[in-house]
Amino acid sequence: MSPTILVAGATGNTGRSTTETLSKLLQAPDSPLRNHRILALTRSVDSPAAQHLATLPGVEVVQQNWVEVTPEWLQTHHVTRAFIASHNRPTQFADESTFHLALLHAGVEYVVRISTTAAFVRPGAIAYYQRAHWALEALLAAPDFKALHWTSLQPNIFGSFFLSPAAEFIKEYRKTGRADTMLKMMAAKDGAVGVIDADEVGVVAAHLLLQEDTTVHNGRVYVLNGPEEITGEGIVRMVEKAIGVPVKNVRDRVHGEWEFAECSLVRAARVGDGVGWAVHAPPTSKEVLALAAPRQTPQQMLDNLLEE
């Protein structure tokens, strides 16, 4: 069996693009890993996303819960490299750390993982999933994990999430002609955020996974922002341009609450107005710019949402 690149969460926000990009890049005659295959894990092989991935060259889609992956399973499938975009439920640290332990014990060479916005990856973060990402990076950096090379990507908030209220407002206006409903935004009026397209994060992950020598990127944490920042006021201007009339009612810094039923940690998942997404992230890492610089602007991301 050919050596395998494992993509856990292949039909998710970043996993789909990671899988697509791996498939494309592996077809190049000069690809150093051209003899590798791609094993894409999904919870349902019948989903449209999974069926699409199954048509790509070099991709095998398998219905397998990544939290149940063992060292023996990895060795059976000849996994040498892996990608993981974990869930952010309260069991995140337990599940993902067990996954990395399985990679280590199976002799997997390299893993690329998706973290969260750089400004929030710290032990004093309000939301527990942000602290979990910090703890997972600390775990991978420990001497016990020296044999497993790893890179952690810290993308800014995804444009599909940040701009979706604006897209829904525009779609509703086009149906009803009413511009007096409330436009609710996560953005602060003057807070500039470098939102990024989730697909472009997957592209970076794929380029990392196909590096012939992973030593350069081992133990590194890379920040990813989009090429342009956007403020709440900027979002309003984009909406008004799309509908051709002024937006009358706007509420900024509106934060949802994760739906974790009967969990005492749910309060910690709420991002308070004093933190918000207006916190300025560090600049995009130079290594990311060299590999595959993000190019999607907020306007392009909004246009993509309107086409869905």
Side-chain angles (χ1 to χ4, degrees):
M1 184 181 292
S2 300
T4 300
I5 301 173
L6 177 70
V7 181
T11 56
N13 286 331
T14 54
R16 178 181 53 79
S17 177
T18 300
T19 306
E20 291 172 340
T21 307
L22 283 171
S23 174
K24 179 181 179 180
L25 295 178
L26 281 173
Q27 303 311 305
D30 59 346
S31 173
L33 273 65
R34 201 169 189 275
N35 64 327
H36 286 56
R37 68 180 186 126
I38 304 160
L39 192 61
L41 301 191
T42 180
R43 287 176 294 180
S44 173
V45 293
D46 297 323
S47 70
Q51 291 179 353
H52 160 67
L53 294 179
T55 66
L56 300 178
V59 176
E60 179 183 352
V61 178
V62 175
Q63 188 163 302
Q64 168 71 45
N65 191 337
W66 64 263
V67 303
E68 298 172 355
V69 165
T70 65
E72 293 75 22
W73 187 94
L74 293 164
Q75 291 172 336
T76 298
H77 290 84
H78 298 270
V79 175
T80 61
R81 301 186 178 198
F83 167 89
I84 175 69
S86 178
H87 60 74
N88 58 3
R89 296 189 294 272
T91 59
Q92 177 188 0
F93 178 81
D95 291 339
E96 190 180 339
S97 63
T98 300
F99 178 80
H100 292 303
L101 194 66
L103 297 179
L104 177 68
H105 288 170
V108 173
E109 301 167 359
Y110 181 49
V111 61
V112 176
R113 66 176 301 275
I114 302 298
S115 181
T116 191
T117 306
F120 299 135
V121 183
R122 50 192 175 86
I126 292 176
Y128 67 85
Y129 74 90
Q130 297 163 347
R131 299 192 301 272
H133 281 299
W134 172 83
L136 286 159
E137 290 175 357
L139 176 140
L140 288 168
D144 286 4
F145 279 81
K146 184 178 181 181
L148 175 64
H149 285 194
W150 63 277
T151 304
S152 189
L153 301 181
Q154 297 181 343
N156 213 322
I157 189 169
F158 295 151
S160 56
F161 184 46
F162 201 68
L163 299 172
S164 61
E168 293 306 314
F169 186 94
I170 294 169
K171 290 177 180 179
E172 188 62 23
Y173 174 82
R174 290 174 176 173
K175 289 179 183 177
T176 65
R178 292 185 57 187
D180 57 349
T181 55
M182 180 72 71
L183 171 58
K184 299 179 180 180
M185 304 181 297
M186 291 181 64
K189 179 181 178 181
D190 301 320
V193 181
V195 294
I196 188 167
D197 185 89
D199 284 352
E200 295 194 307
V201 178
V203 171
V204 173
H207 276 82
L208 285 167
L209 286 164
L210 293 183
Q211 295 297 298
E212 185 172 14
D213 180 9
T214 60
T215 305
V216 175
H217 304 289
N218 179 33
R220 303 295 301 276
V221 176
Y222 294 149
V223 176
L224 297 88
N225 299 291
E228 294 180 10
E229 294 185 330
I230 187 73
T231 63
E233 188 174 3
I235 293 174
V236 173
R237 286 199 299 269
M238 288 198 301
V239 172
E240 291 178 336
K241 178 182 177 182
I243 65 177
V245 298
V247 177
K248 299 178 181 179
N249 299 310
V250 179
R251 183 182 172 193
D252 67 350
R253 295 186 296 178
V254 176
H255 302 287
E257 194 164 343
W258 298 106
E259 299 294 336
F260 298 138
E262 299 179 3
C263 175
S264 62
L265 293 176
V266 69
R267 291 175 300 149
R270 184 180 178 88
V271 182
D273 286 347
V275 181
W277 290 105
V279 174
H280 192 70
T284 300
S285 300
K286 65 181 187 326
E287 292 85 355
V288 170
L289 297 176
L291 284 170
R295 302 186 184 281
Q296 284 279 316
T297 66
Q299 183 64 63
Q300 290 171 317
M301 294 180 217
L302 179 61
D303 291 344
N304 292 337
L305 288 171
L306 293 174
E307 293 175 359
E308 294 179 356

